[in-house]
Amino acid sequence: MTALPLDANDGGGRFPGFDAQGQSSRWDRVTQGVVLARLGRPTDLRFFTVAEEAAARALFDQLLDQRQEPRVPVVNMVDARLAEDQTDGWHYEDMEPDPAAWRSTLAELDAEARERHERPFAELSCEEQTLLLTDIQAAEKWRGRQASRVWSLWTRYACTAFYSHPLAWDEIGFAGPAYPRGYKNLGLNAREPFEVADARPAQDPAPHKAKSETGRQR
Amino acid sequence: MASVKDRNASAWLLPPVPGTNHAMRANMAQFRDEDEVDVVIVGCGAGGSTLLQRLARAGWKAVALDAGPFWDPERDWVSDEAGSHHLYWTEPRIISGDDPVPLGSNNSGRGVGGSMVHYAGYTPRFHPSDFHTYSADGVGADWPLEYGELKAYYEDIEGELPVAGEHWPWGDPHSYPHSPHPVSGNGELFLRGALASGITAKVGPVAISNGRFGNRPHCIYRGFCLQGCKVNAKASPLVTHIPDALHHGAEVRADSMVTRIEIDDRTGKATGVHYVRHGRARFQRARIVAVAGYSIETPRLLLNSACKRFPAGLCNDFDQVGRYLMVQGAPQTAGRFESEVRMWKAPPPEVSSEDFYETDPSKPYKRGFSIQTVSPLPITWAEHVAAQGHWGGKLREYMSDYVHWACLGALCEFLPQPDNRVTLSSEKDRNSMPVAHFHYSQCDNDRQLMEAAQGAMEKILYGAGAEEVITIKRFAHLVGGARMAADEQRGVVDADCRSFAVPNLYITDGSVLPTQGSANPALTIMAVTARAANRLIAGGAGKATKTTQPARPATA
Ligand SMILES: Cc1cc2nc3c(=O)[nH]c(=O)nc-3n(C[C@H](O)[C@H](O)[C@H](O)COP(=O)(O)OP(=O)(O)OC[C@H]3O[C@@H](n4cnc5c(N)ncnc54)[C@H](O)[C@@H]3O)c2cc1C
Ligand code: SF4
């Protein structure tokens, strides 16, 4: 399968020829079933309404910088989770359970876009979408909610879907399932025969500034 | 000391290949609801399984109910992060407070084996100082027992899991039954950075067999410990205690959600438990009830078992149930190295330091923290990156750099506080049982420990040559909520895990811990339970005829 499109400046092409799926014959059968299913036809949407689908697609494309095909079908993967109520169970006292929170925050996203540009979020230009999201991320409160909780809901589901996909693993050099094969070569710069070395090891995403940053879980 | 196999033959009862002993499960005892069993245990995790194995060995008619499935690792578990979601307790729960604690994947499991199915596998002991922090430092609480009363049980459980590691210089110095595992790039950098910054770090202690143990094979260093070990190398009660329990006539009844403990208003004693199995409401009679449902579900069940005698909730006459619930502050700091670390290879638990565990009189805060390797897989690593505020192209770029990062985690001893508690909400689950509401706020001491721990981890990573570090603030390991104490005004159970209010009701899980130290809790939960089991057996509380002698004298 072709690689996901990613600009070299954004870390594309660091593991030339690396193919996580290429190892699938070495995975146990149950794991094969679960992981390879992600490469098949995406499930039809069952949870999102048409309007929610449009907003969610645009949101995920932004959050994960997916601008062209092939894409990881994040919207279908999140839709399936929500349809099956496959959530973490917990919710903040001041937020709804995840499925309801998704519906209402996507509606708010469209409402915000309409207030600013008189069009729903999906109809905004890429730059307008980026600006709007940048504002939400920076805000303390957003439309009556704690902005960080909305942001974490969105990014949590987006990242879980995207980084469960073998094509995303190719991009980051991660070989995926490791049973029953296991690993034989542990240690710094040690690789298994099927692993590929980073072609640009000096591409530190935050170059030339020794720094320390702190974030908060969720 | 009797050999491990003589005390607990679990590892020898498993098949010599990965998977489970299907015949043993098929032939397991099946008690009827109408039978008054000697003990019914609610929850088959760290505490519940240990109790089940001990009592079954002593000849008790024992049944353990678990809300989740009886896992078959070969069929049910995968070597994949997103595909392991079903291992967690994902029933609805509500969180609040100044510092609400996300639950689900991050905190608790369901099914036979409990949270240890997907725990990392670190099994340090508590330090002797943990048992009297109030007398020594004026913070936390004093336990109604001291370290010396648990020591023999620590040794027993370490043999049964078994634990691998270097000689342990901290707390009460001790050795481990299995030698330390080789370390990966992540562990190598921790050791190097610690050496450079004058901090002692040691390999271990992990409940992962090093070499074959019974029929359990050696670890294959596949790094998916938090997704359930398909290899059977990592210890969880599913492989360390359940097989021996079944062999001695115990029943494990999976898919059975207990909703209420029944109390006889006339005698004030527990008569059994109400539970829902396959959609049907049922009642198991028992002479003794033991609750081991984890720090959220145990208080929830007690509170939901209010009755005429206990209108405010079972054992809650003094408003103690659900209170003093603790999490450990668990910030994780990662460092960027030009070398490839590939931290996902090998088990995440490798190397630890307890240099900062004890109160340091030169610091403004009391108690301390420990530091350990952690090795987030891609989805969890994306959470780290997203927590720095990155998204879009920057997120993808950071993620493409994954092979270059090493990651450490700290465990900070957050203090027990009465208002950090579980109550019942008005929201209901699918069994119409009120959902747990968990309220959590940190105190100043907690926050100072988080800062200090981050500083220490940064120092180690820079000492190892990191070019950049990032930190994510997280929490881990819930304990408390039905704590043990010297009397009923300060706690729910006594040192033997027997409730003050109901003479035949026991609590044998992490809920009973009055303080948590900065050690991962599973080993201590098992040791406390093993001690309680011994006392119960010696006291003959529920059992007319014993067929086997207890493994240890009651005075151990
Ligand atoms: C990601 C992660 C990593 C961890 N890493 C470590 C580590 O490295 N070292 C360590 O020591 N600890 C670790 N822990 C914590 C450790 O697993 C728990 O502290 C420990 O398992 C708790 O034991 P317990 O007996 O209290 O409950 P559990 O082991 O959680 O068992 C409770 C059981 O009760 C069942 N149950 C609950 N309510 C009911 C009910 N009403 N009816 C029937 N059944 C019920 C549940 O299904 C569950 O199986 C980790 C936890 C997580 C989530
Ligand atoms: S690394 Fe070892 S202990 Fe962990 S899951 Fe793999 S085989 Fe099991």
Side-chain angles (χ1 to χ4, degrees):
Chain A
M1 211 188 246
T2 32
L4 295 173
L6 184 66
D7 196 275
N9 285 324
D10 289 338
R14 290 178 73 165
F15 302 93
F18 179 59
D19 177 20
Q21 296 161 57
Q23 287 290 307
S24 60
S25 64
R26 313 280 310 274
W27 308 342
D28 72 276
R29 284 211 236 166
V30 183
T31 301
Q32 281 172 350
V34 167
V35 176
L36 297 180
R38 295 177 195 142
L39 300 167
R41 195 181 75 86
T43 51
D44 294 327
L45 297 194
R46 290 164 282 166
F47 178 83
F48 290 129
T49 63
V50 173
E52 288 162 0
E53 176 192 347
R57 274 187 200 281
L59 174 66
F60 291 136
D61 283 353
Q62 282 282 336
L63 292 178
L64 297 162
D65 196 31
Q66 295 206 91
R67 307 291 176 186
Q68 63 196 73
E69 295 299 328
R71 282 179 171 84
V72 171
V74 173
V75 75
N76 308 67
M77 295 163 90
V78 172
D79 180 277
R81 266 189 82 179
L82 295 171
E84 286 160 20
D85 202 12
Q86 210 200 89
T87 70
D88 262 4
W90 59 271
H91 68 89
Y92 293 103
E93 189 181 20
D94 58 2
M95 293 264 287
E96 312 95 311
D98 288 3
W102 267 104
R103 288 201 197 287
S104 56
T105 56
L106 289 174
E108 296 287 1
L109 186 61
D110 271 343
E112 176 93 30
R114 284 207 171 83
E115 279 170 28
R116 292 193 187 191
H117 306 284
E118 291 166 354
R119 279 168 291 145
F121 185 72
E123 304 303 331
L124 306 190
S125 72
C126 185
E127 291 70 32
E128 288 167 340
Q129 288 176 348
T130 306
L131 270 178
L132 198 160
L133 292 179
T134 307
D135 289 348
I136 297 175
Q137 193 200 16
E140 183 76 26
K141 283 268 178 188
W142 180 66
R143 303 183 80 84
R145 296 166 200 271
Q146 289 205 34
S148 61
R149 292 184 182 169
V150 176
W151 191 257
S152 103
L153 176 80
W154 291 347
T155 53
R156 215 159 68 224
Y157 277 78
C159 289
T160 300
F162 189 80
Y163 287 106
S164 72
H165 201 281
L167 290 181
W169 298 341
D170 290 348
E171 188 172 294
I172 65 175
F174 174 69
Y179 175 79
R181 182 200 58 213
Y183 291 113
K184 297 206 166 51
N185 302 311
L186 308 179
L188 293 175
N189 292 320
R191 277 179 295 274
E192 313 298 311
F194 55 84
E195 290 183 312
V196 170
D198 180 7
R200 303 196 301 276
Q203 191 174 351
D204 181 348
H208 314 307
K209 36 180 180 161
K211 53 175 198 160
S212 138
E213 285 183 25
T214 308
R216 210 192 146 87
Q217 177 196 33
R218 279 152 186 168
Chain B
M1 182 168 125
S3 80
V4 175
K5 189 177 173 184
D6 294 336
R7 290 187 284 116
N8 177 350
S10 290
W12 289 265
L13 293 165
L14 290 166
V17 290
T20 196
N21 189 331
H22 291 281
M24 198 163 79
R25 288 194 192 177
N27 298 328
M28 137 180 107
Q30 286 187 318
F31 299 103
R32 293 178 314 157
D33 283 340
E34 315 74 77
D35 293 340
E36 185 182 65
V37 294
D38 291 322
V39 63
V40 61
I41 301 167
V42 182
C44 225
S49 304
T50 306
L51 185 68
L52 184 73
Q53 185 261 345
R54 295 304 203 251
L55 296 184
R57 256 204 179 239
W60 290 38
K61 276 200 270 177
V63 52
L65 310 186
D66 199 285
F70 203 158
W71 301 116
D72 174 354
E74 275 292 282
R75 189 196 69 179
D76 300 341
W77 300 350
V78 290
S79 192
D80 179 67
E81 212 180 354
S84 300
H85 193 260
H86 56 299
L87 298 184
Y88 314 128
W89 188 279
T90 55
E91 295 285 315
R93 286 166 172 173
I94 298 169
I95 60 172
S96 69
D98 297 341
D99 307 281
V101 176
L103 298 168
S105 61
N106 191 43
N107 277 306
S108 55
R110 65 189 265 277
V112 179
S115 305
M116 283 178 77
V117 161
H118 63 81
Y119 82 147
Y122 277 114
T123 43
R125 295 184 191 178
F126 279 22
H127 288 195
S129 65
D130 283 318
F131 297 81
H132 45 254
T133 61
Y134 187 75
S135 311
D137 284 321
V139 296
D142 290 351
W143 292 47
L145 52 82
E146 286 291 341
Y147 172 85
E149 291 165 83
L150 272 191
K151 178 172 174 151
Y153 299 96
Y154 274 136
E155 288 167 354
D156 279 358
I157 301 284
E158 281 165 357
E160 290 165 58
L161 294 179
V163 182
E166 289 188 76
H167 177 79
W168 217 243
W170 296 284
D172 174 28
H174 57 277
S175 324
Y176 288 109
H178 278 204
S179 54
H181 286 273
V183 299
S184 70
N186 205 22
E188 210 175 311
L189 287 169
F190 185 179
L191 291 170
R192 185 196 290 177
L195 191 66
S197 31
I199 293 167
T200 306
K202 294 281 171 190
V203 182
V206 297
I208 300 174
S209 48
N210 190 356
R212 184 163 269 275
F213 179 69
N215 287 333
R216 283 169 52 199
H218 190 288
C219 168
I220 61 169
Y221 304 112
R222 63 193 262 275
F224 282 89
C225 306
L226 273 71
Q227 285 65 38
C229 180
K230 275 181 94 96
V231 179
N232 284 344
K234 186 191 78 172
S236 89
L238 189 70
V239 294
T240 61
H241 288 80
I242 295 300
D244 193 64
L246 298 191
H247 188 66
H248 285 87
E251 179 188 351
V252 169
R253 206 174 297 161
D255 309 308
S256 301
M257 174 72 184
V258 176
T259 52
R260 211 156 56 78
I261 299 161
E262 183 70 26
I263 298 290
D264 180 335
D265 280 322
R266 194 177 46 83
T267 61
K269 288 175 126 189
T271 56
V273 298
H274 295 274
Y275 66 103
V276 181
R277 183 161 208 251
H278 300 163
R280 292 173 54 216
R282 295 169 54 169
F283 180 72
Q284 175 67 57
R285 295 178 62 220
R287 202 146 12 150
I288 290 184
V289 173
V291 185
Y294 194 77
S295 284
I296 304 269
E297 294 306 314
T298 289
R300 177 188 181 210
L301 180 61
L302 294 175
L303 293 172
N304 196 50
S305 301
C307 59
K308 214 152 86 202
R309 163 66 190 84
F310 297 100
L314 197 51
C315 305
N316 201 25
D317 288 353
F318 296 90
D319 193 17
Q320 293 288 311
V321 172
R323 291 191 184 273
Y324 302 103
L325 217 136
M326 293 163 271
V327 297
Q328 280 170 332
Q332 296 187 352
T333 301
R336 205 269 175 189
F337 295 84
E338 181 133 354
S339 300
E340 289 187 7
V341 184
R342 296 185 180 258
M343 63 177 160
W344 63 84
K345 291 163 75 164
E350 292 196 305
V351 177
S352 12
S353 173
E354 294 175 12
D355 263 8
F356 306 95
Y357 196 108
E358 302 285 340
T359 297
D360 175 348
S362 73
K363 295 287 192 304
Y365 50 80
K366 305 286 186 198
R367 305 300 297 161
F369 54 90
S370 62
I371 300 176
Q372 305 172 330
T373 48
V374 292
S375 308
L377 290 173
I379 293 171
T380 319
W381 180 242
E383 237 177 73
H384 280 243
V385 174
Q388 310 305 315
H390 301 307
W391 55 285
K394 201 72 194 166
L395 173 88
R396 295 273 289 276
E397 192 196 349
Y398 254 95
M399 289 301 294
S400 77
D401 204 42
Y402 181 40
V403 300
H404 294 283
W405 291 76
C407 193
L408 303 179
L411 296 176
C412 305
E413 177 173 351
F414 281 8
L415 298 172
Q417 300 181 69
D419 291 337
N420 288 338
R421 66 185 300 201
V422 164
T423 51
L424 298 181
S425 108
S426 53
E427 198 177 312
K428 303 261 172 70
D429 70 6
R430 64 189 287 267
N431 294 313
S432 305
M433 187 175 167
V435 162
H437 183 139
F438 176 30
H439 180 94
Y440 199 88
S441 303
Q442 291 167 20
C443 64
D444 264 355
N445 202 76
D446 298 347
R447 279 184 273 271
Q448 291 178 47
L449 283 176
M450 287 280 261
E451 290 295 311
Q454 178 175 339
M457 290 190 289
E458 290 177 350
K459 188 169 157 191
I460 292 169
L461 288 165
Y462 283 132
E467 300 156 357
E468 181 200 356
V469 297
I470 61 174
T471 295
I472 179 172
K473 293 202 161 135
R474 326 168 39 258
F475 311 102
H477 304 153
L478 279 71
V479 294
R483 68 178 182 176
M484 62 167 64
D487 61 63
E488 60 191 1
Q489 308 197 4
R490 281 176 287 179
V492 180
V493 299
D494 65 15
D496 297 344
C497 298
R498 173 145 101 166
S499 76
F500 291 114
V502 181
N504 65 338
L505 179 69
Y506 287 74
I507 299 173
T508 55
D509 65 2
S511 324
V512 303
L513 271 48
T515 62
Q516 57 180 347
S518 28
N520 322 58
L523 180 81
T524 298
I525 294 170
M526 291 180 132
V528 164
T529 304
R531 179 180 178 278
N534 228 27
R535 310 277 292 180
L536 198 50
I537 294 163
K543 172 66 190 153
T545 51
K546 274 177 242 159
T547 53
T548 331
Q549 283 304 306
R552 291 213 155 254
T555 51

